[in-house]
Amino acid sequence: MNELSVAYRLLKDLQQESERHGVSRVSRVSVRMGSLCTVAPEALTIAFEAASEGTVAEGAELNIGIVPARGRCEKCNIDFDVETDTSMFLCPQCGGIVRDLISGRELDIALFRGSSE
């Protein structure tokens, strides 16, 4: 995934939320990123810094939290951590192929802090 396009999308969402809450400056942004997400955290940080120039988030601190990949077995009805270095996820209890991931692919704004200076 292109980290610069992700940064621009993130900034668009921040702009909308800032307007909705009457915020004129964002100082900190926390992002939740799944461990299976194809975005590189370091590259996103650099892209965010460049893309935020001249926006409400210029100079804002970007904190990226990694969410572990978890699967859910339909047969056993259990949730478990999945290995991120494989393309097929197997239930540790029954050995069945797991198709449902309940986390690990997200990329969400978790929190932003701003002020109405």
Side-chain angles (χ1 to χ4, degrees):
M1 184 175 281
N2 183 333
E3 283 79 1
L4 190 56
S5 66
V6 171
Y8 280 121
R9 177 62 203 194
L10 178 61
L11 287 163
K12 181 178 177 185
D13 291 347
L14 283 170
Q15 183 67 41
Q16 290 172 347
E17 286 299 307
S18 296
E19 290 171 4
R20 194 166 72 108
H21 295 284
V23 171
S24 59
R25 178 158 166 23
V26 174
S27 60
R28 183 178 312 145
V29 180
S30 295
V31 175
R32 294 175 356 117
M33 181 184 307
S35 60
L36 297 175
C37 189
T38 60
V39 174
E42 301 82 19
L44 179 58
T45 301
I46 293 167
F48 180 82
E49 187 177 303
S52 66
E53 289 183 19
T55 72
V56 296
E58 183 172 1
E61 177 185 348
L62 180 64
N63 297 315
I64 301 174
I66 304 298
V67 179
R70 299 208 22 101
R72 176 171 292 143
C73 180
E74 294 176 11
K75 293 178 188 175
C76 301
N77 198 31
I78 63 167
D79 297 347
F80 57 92
D81 291 336
V82 298
E83 298 296 323
T84 57
D85 59 349
T86 180
S87 61
M88 187 174 8
F89 308 117
L90 302 177
C91 174
Q93 187 165 304
C94 72
I97 297 173
V98 174
R99 289 177 174 70
D100 293 332
L101 289 180
I102 55 176
S103 68
R105 291 194 172 131
E106 55 272 277
L107 180 60
D108 303 316
I109 299 173
L111 171 72
F112 76 94
R113 295 193 196 269
S115 62
S116 54
E117 299 171 353

